[in-house]
Amino acid sequence: MKSKRIIFFVLSVFILSSFKEDSIKIYHNGWIDFNKNGVKDVYEDSKANINDRVTNLVSLMNINEKTCQMATLYGFARVLEDELPTLEWKNRVWKDGIANIDEHLNTIWNQEKTHTSLSYPYSTHAEAINKVQKWFVEETRLGIPVDFTNEGVHGLCHKKATSLPAPIGIGSTWNKKLVHKAGTIVGREAKALGYTNIYAPILDVARDQRWGRVLECYGEEPFHIAEMGKQMVLGIQSQGVASILKHFAVYSIPKGARDGDARTDPHVAPREMHQLHLYPFKRVIKETKPMGIMSSYNDYDGVPVTASSYFLTELLREKYGFNGYVVSDSEAVEYVSEKHHVAKDYKEAVRQVVEAGLNVRTTFRTPESFIEPLRALIHEGKISMKTLDLRVAEVLKVKFRLGLFDNPYVENPKESDKLVHTKADEDFSKQINRESLVLLKNENNLLPLNVNTYKNILVTGPLADEVSFTYSRYGPASNPSTSVYQGIKNYVKDRAYVSYVKGCDVVDANWPESEIIPIPLSKEEEKSIAQAVEQAKKSDIIIAVVGEGDEQVGETKSRTSLGLSGRQFQLVQALYKTGKPVVLVLINGQPLTINWENKFLPAILEAWFPSASAGEIIAGTLFGDYNPGGKLSVTFPKSVGQIPINFPYKPGSHAGQPGKGPNGSGNTRVLGALYPFGYGLSYTSFKYNNLLVKQKTKNSQSNIEVSFDIKNTGEIAGDEVVQLYLKDKVSSVTTYESQLRGFERVHLLPGEIKTIHFVLKPEDLEILDKNMNWTVEPGTFEVLIGSSSVDIRLKEEFNVF
């Protein structure tokens, strides 16, 4: 009670010092008179049950106020024209309130129109958000606070917030504790800046490597995604901020990976949908109770997800127990009529999505564009008041859970300057960057490089002195970034001479047509590559930084080829011909078909899209200050002609071709992955021993304990990601060859041995049987322990009766 009194006292002092005299009357000791009637209504009573508060508030609302709680107002320079409230706001639809305001005053790095002086310093932003919130509390009839939303998939999308690597890099850490810490940082920074709801994590299962948003996913395997996503949600929501999962559902596998103007027709069978694409959502919802879900704009089997009561009501709420509110992805409502053509017009689309279970329409259009047709549908009797009240109640319940009706403001804006992007946060950013690196090849232990051995170092490639990939539409803006070239120069200092030649651009003038039609190099391209070769001949070692830029990957961008784009391959080949050792550093957002590079170059380091400290952490890793221990969370194909090729997979689906028998006609296609799921090398080596599988009973509902030893058999400390796979030997339906069911990132000193423990629960053994029921069938199971999905070191069987 004492702590509560202190909070209310601080709140009162803040209000008295910030608000005008005639507005103080609504602020009382321990409660706020939101509806300005001089009475503490149930919804204003912090001691009342949340459900009672919601019911009371809904009973006081008119149709205009209810419909306003079902739309997003996009923030400054997207839809909202003003940074702070104006008199004109009294003439706009949000005079009756609004569900949420998205990305207000956050500053997006590559959208100059969003840049504002109110985003930084942090305290300035917190004060600005308070002023906006104050308007809604004081100037609307019922004073319903706003839920301020923002993106946060790899660091909060705000100017100078803590920078994190792209989600595919976060997924490559396989470090659950690290991901939880990342979530707490995103949540803490959001809370300090006035954001109350964060669009993260992305739980899409990236099964097609050509898809442009692979870099925004944790990977391709549902158990791995669920484990990482769970930790991110727990971290974010531990700070009193809501987490919104996206994109629900079956969003990440459009036909042929075609995104952009397509966004339809995912080719996924029902059982596969539940076992792969819905699995992370089901688990994260049940285990973390997230407060939000974003519905996707694709269809499934001809029905738009955002207009599907099966997805938004039956699955989400009735089966998974989701208890938050559902927002639409941009244009998901509009697509129901404009793209999917299952509604005769937009107004009918609005009716369908509201009936299906959508709570809040979110897109880059005015809120009036949704609220006005919604009101018309209600007046025409095409949407019932019962449905409207239910949708609104689900939004309000989240606002009550967030404490917005008890403390709607950032309590101490000045404190924000101490809470966002601290020195400890910056150190963490570097650590998660390091752990995201994956060593793909290291022939004859070329890496780590000895700085005293190489006196002339060439750093080349179109991404060697570039930093644009360290920023993102969905991440922080304006943090100082270090390129790989600058990072190596800073590391080496005066111990060696470091030169730089760009060599070529990321893409050529004819790209992407040049991916399917070979076009001779221009004179300028030949000259640029020749300059790099000339410098390479004078150097002792070459560090080539190649891959993809921010213009080649991301939302609405998918690729036809996965080879190095533009003239990068020709540059790499020319460098190799000099006879000097070439270390390839990959900056990319999706797996690349680097077959020639893997065969001929001695060392390859996968860096994905790192954050602002890119140059520093890559340089330190190349020269041995850090031993890379990340593992791939996506399969690298050898050719796009192999796609789909990913993990897990059904028996025989990745098989070869018969060499004998009536159909033995010889080899006609390339087989196998370039790098499999879970793959990653180290500067040291590890040995696995002593696998034990213990069952208290052989009953299908018993837990199974698994333990084994892992030893660092090398000469330097390093991390190993130990992986547990489970194989169902015989089942009533065809199951996957094996499935990931446990993993742990382990740090080991030279010679150190640790015993690792896993517990398999009944749900880890479940399959969807013939009748589409989740069940544990009796039979024999095999535990597989290894360093990747194919590098299995230990095996043991057990039986379930």
Side-chain angles (χ1 to χ4, degrees):
M1 288 299 294
K2 183 178 179 181
S3 62
K4 286 186 177 181
R5 285 197 297 270
I6 292 172
I7 290 172
F8 285 126
F9 173 77
V10 171
L11 177 59
S12 300
V13 170
F14 165 71
I15 292 166
L16 287 168
S17 62
S18 305
F19 296 171
K20 56 183 186 288
E21 188 72 24
D22 60 0
S23 68
I24 296 175
K25 297 174 185 176
I26 71 169
Y27 299 97
H28 300 282
N29 183 20
W31 67 285
I32 300 173
D33 187 10
F34 289 101
N35 63 357
K36 300 95 178 165
N37 67 352
V39 177
K40 185 192 285 187
D41 293 280
V42 175
Y43 86 93
E44 297 164 345
D45 185 356
S46 62
K47 296 180 181 178
N49 178 275
I50 284 183
N51 290 332
D52 293 337
R53 298 178 79 180
V54 171
T55 300
N56 174 241
L57 179 52
V58 172
S59 72
L60 299 174
M61 298 170 73
N62 59 41
I63 288 177
N64 285 358
E65 289 159 340
K66 290 175 181 178
T67 52
C68 279
Q69 292 300 313
M70 293 187 65
T72 292
L73 171 59
Y74 251 98
F76 171 66
R78 269 56 64 87
V79 171
L80 187 57
E81 298 171 356
D82 313 302
E83 294 172 298
L84 296 173
T86 68
L87 292 175
E88 177 60 23
W89 283 25
K90 280 290 188 178
N91 299 318
R92 298 303 298 269
V93 72
W94 55 87
K95 69 181 182 298
D96 293 310
I98 202 73
N100 53 44
I101 300 180
D102 196 18
E103 297 192 277
H104 190 47
L105 306 174
N106 61 342
T107 292
I108 296 174
W109 79 277
N110 61 351
Q111 295 185 23
E112 189 173 347
K113 67 179 183 179
T114 69
H115 295 190
T116 167
S117 61
L118 296 180
S119 62
Y120 184 84
Y122 309 123
S123 55
T124 302
H125 184 268
E127 289 166 355
I129 291 294
N130 275 350
K131 289 177 182 177
V132 176
Q133 187 72 285
K134 171 180 179 284
W135 188 92
F136 282 92
V137 169
E138 296 185 6
E139 300 297 332
T140 63
R141 187 179 73 94
L142 293 177
I144 300 173
V146 170
D147 188 10
F148 288 96
T149 56
N150 196 5
E151 300 284 353
V153 295
H154 51 118
L156 187 69
C157 186
H158 189 93
K159 186 175 183 179
K160 294 186 180 295
T162 300
S163 177
L164 301 176
I168 192 64
I170 295 175
S172 296
T173 69
W174 295 62
N175 190 328
K176 289 172 280 190
K177 292 180 181 178
L178 213 63
V179 177
H180 185 275
K181 178 66 175 177
T184 63
I185 291 173
V186 171
R188 172 183 17 100
E189 295 187 340
K191 186 82 169 177
L193 287 160
Y195 302 112
T196 51
N197 202 325
I198 298 302
Y199 293 118
I202 290 177
L203 298 184
D204 299 320
V205 183
R207 302 291 283 178
D208 192 323
Q209 294 88 338
R210 297 166 297 178
W211 188 50
R213 301 193 83 169
V214 169
L215 87 161
E216 295 173 21
C217 304
Y218 291 135
E220 71 186 18
E221 205 283 333
F223 181 88
H224 170 266
I225 295 165
E227 290 289 297
M228 305 299 263
K230 173 183 174 180
Q231 295 305 321
M232 182 62 75
V233 174
L234 290 173
I236 290 172
Q237 296 201 160
S238 72
Q239 304 302 301
V241 173
S243 168
I244 290 185
L245 314 180
K246 56 183 188 178
H247 307 86
F248 188 81
V250 204
Y251 168 77
S252 56
I253 188 164
K255 185 177 181 181
R258 287 177 280 274
D259 197 4
D261 288 334
R263 298 175 173 176
T264 59
D265 202 18
H267 282 201
V268 178
R271 183 172 277 103
E272 180 181 1
M273 175 181 74
H274 287 282
Q275 291 181 326
L276 296 184
H277 294 273
L278 296 180
Y279 177 91
F281 288 96
K282 181 178 76 169
R283 273 203 52 206
V284 172
I285 289 167
K286 289 186 174 182
E287 296 176 23
T288 71
K289 306 299 180 187
M291 294 189 226
I293 288 282
M294 178 182 285
S295 67
S296 55
Y297 39 56
N298 56 282
D299 68 321
Y300 176 73
D301 196 23
V303 179
V305 170
T306 299
S308 168
S309 59
Y310 172 72
F311 281 102
L312 301 193
T313 298
E314 183 179 337
L315 281 181
L316 267 185
R317 297 194 182 277
E318 296 172 5
K319 291 191 176 181
Y320 298 169
F322 175 65
N323 196 25
Y325 73 79
V326 181
V327 304
S328 66
D329 199 354
S330 295
E331 300 298 279
V333 176
E334 290 73 12
Y335 282 173
V336 173
S337 56
E338 296 174 7
K339 185 178 292 292
H340 301 296
H341 306 296
V342 300
K344 64 179 181 179
D345 54 29
Y346 171 63
K347 185 178 175 182
E348 168 60 13
V350 172
R351 187 198 66 78
Q352 288 188 22
V353 300
V354 172
E355 292 285 357
L358 182 72
N359 296 103
V360 176
R361 193 287 300 265
T362 301
T363 194
F364 298 97
R365 304 192 190 199
T366 65
E368 288 96 332
S369 64
F370 179 79
I371 291 170
E372 289 174 359
L374 176 58
R375 288 174 180 172
L377 288 163
I378 295 165
H379 288 304
E380 293 166 8
K382 294 180 180 178
I383 293 178
S384 70
M385 287 302 299
K386 181 181 178 181
T387 298
L388 177 66
D389 287 352
L390 177 59
R391 299 291 173 261
V392 173
E394 289 161 346
V395 175
L396 295 175
K397 188 170 185 177
V398 169
K399 293 190 176 187
F400 279 108
R401 287 173 65 187
L402 290 171
L404 289 175
F405 286 88
D406 304 318
N407 189 6
Y409 306 107
V410 179
E411 291 182 33
N412 187 353
K414 294 297 182 185
E415 193 71 16
S416 301
D417 292 327
K418 301 177 183 178
L419 292 173
V420 182
H421 205 152
T422 65
K423 173 61 168 59
D425 295 336
E426 182 62 25
D427 291 342
F428 174 83
S429 173
K430 293 176 182 179
Q431 181 61 22
I432 196 170
N433 239 313
R434 293 185 187 99
E435 295 201 21
S436 72
L437 301 178
V438 184
L439 183 61
L440 299 179
K441 187 178 179 182
N442 193 21
E443 192 175 81
N444 298 321
N445 296 318
L446 175 62
L447 298 178
L449 302 174
N450 186 333
V451 71
N452 297 314
T453 300
Y454 304 99
K455 295 305 178 185
N456 290 284
I457 301 170
L458 170 62
V459 184
T460 184
L463 297 170
D465 199 25
E466 179 61 66
V467 296
S468 62
F469 55 79
T470 67
Y471 301 106
S472 164
R473 160 67 182 87
Y474 298 105
S478 304
N479 284 311
S481 289
T482 307
S483 71
V484 177
Y485 166 58
Q486 290 297 330
I488 291 173
K489 277 191 69 177
N490 294 341
Y491 185 93
V492 170
K493 296 180 180 175
D494 59 356
R495 291 175 288 181
Y497 173 70
V498 180
S499 58
Y500 163 73
V501 180
K502 186 176 182 179
C504 66
D505 293 324
V506 176
V507 298
D508 60 271
N510 297 292
W511 189 84
E513 185 183 35
S514 57
E515 290 196 338
I516 60 172
I517 300 177
I519 298 173
L521 274 67
S522 67
K523 292 271 203 263
E524 188 60 34
E525 288 170 338
E526 290 177 345
K527 180 180 177 182
S528 295
I529 292 175
Q531 288 173 341
V533 168
E534 189 62 29
Q535 188 60 43
K537 292 176 180 177
K538 304 174 187 176
S539 303
D540 301 317
I541 194 162
I542 303 161
I543 299 172
V545 189
V546 298
E548 298 170 311
D550 60 286
E551 292 297 320
Q552 284 73 54
V553 295
E555 185 173 7
T556 76
K557 301 167 185 173
S558 61
R559 291 192 58 187
T560 308
S561 165
L562 289 174
L564 290 176
S565 59
R567 305 308 190 183
Q568 294 181 88
F569 183 52
Q570 289 93 327
L571 170 65
V572 171
Q573 284 186 310
L575 294 171
Y576 170 76
K577 288 179 181 178
T578 66
K580 301 299 177 68
V582 179
V583 176
L584 200 70
V585 176
L586 293 176
I587 305 289
N588 50 299
Q590 54 212 120
L592 300 178
T593 53
I594 50 169
N595 300 285
W596 186 95
E597 297 88 331
N598 177 69
K599 184 171 183 177
F600 293 104
L601 303 185
I604 304 174
L605 181 69
E606 174 61 81
W608 298 117
F609 269 36
S611 62
S613 57
E616 178 184 342
I617 61 107
I618 290 171
T621 302
L622 293 176
F623 287 97
D625 284 1
Y626 175 73
N627 181 0
K631 300 280 188 177
L632 295 180
S633 58
V634 284
T635 300
F636 275 51
K638 293 176 180 175
S639 165
V640 293
Q642 295 176 291
I643 294 173
I645 179 171
N646 39 41
F647 184 90
Y649 55 89
K650 296 290 180 69
S653 65
H654 287 187
Q657 297 167 292
K660 300 178 181 179
N663 295 319
S665 56
N667 295 325
T668 59
R669 63 183 296 133
V670 173
L671 302 171
L674 179 60
Y675 309 116
F677 174 80
Y679 171 85
L681 304 176
S682 171
Y683 294 158
T684 188
S685 56
F686 303 95
K687 186 175 182 180
Y688 293 69
N689 275 310
N690 303 323
L691 174 61
L692 293 174
V693 178
K694 294 182 180 179
Q695 293 174 271
K696 290 184 179 179
T697 74
K698 294 186 181 295
N699 188 284
S700 65
Q701 297 308 301
S702 291
N703 288 345
I704 296 149
E705 297 177 2
V706 178
S707 66
F708 58 92
D709 294 337
I710 178 78
K711 179 180 181 180
N712 183 343
T713 54
E715 298 180 354
I716 61 173
D719 290 0
E720 172 70 327
V721 177
V722 296
Q723 301 160 45
L724 185 157
Y725 296 89
L726 189 66
K727 181 181 179 67
D728 190 345
K729 304 282 279 191
V730 178
S731 51
S732 62
V733 295
T734 303
T735 57
Y736 296 99
E737 186 67 36
S738 67
Q739 291 181 273
L740 183 70
R741 284 297 179 260
F743 62 88
E744 202 70 45
R745 184 163 181 147
V746 186
H747 183 74
L748 293 164
L749 300 174
E752 185 178 8
I753 300 174
K754 287 184 180 179
T755 301
I756 309 302
H757 298 271
F758 290 114
V759 176
L760 289 170
K761 298 178 181 179
E763 51 266 34
D764 292 321
L765 279 60
E766 286 182 338
I767 65 167
L768 270 176
D769 65 14
K770 288 183 178 180
N771 300 314
M772 295 297 284
N773 293 317
W774 288 101
T775 184
V776 179
E777 294 184 341
T780 301
F781 295 83
E782 188 173 27
V783 172
L784 310 168
I785 303 295
S787 185
S788 79
S789 60
V790 300
D791 185 8
I792 301 301
R793 310 287 182 89
L794 304 170
K795 298 180 181 181
E796 185 66 53
E797 291 185 353
F798 65 90
N799 294 303
V800 170
F801 296 146

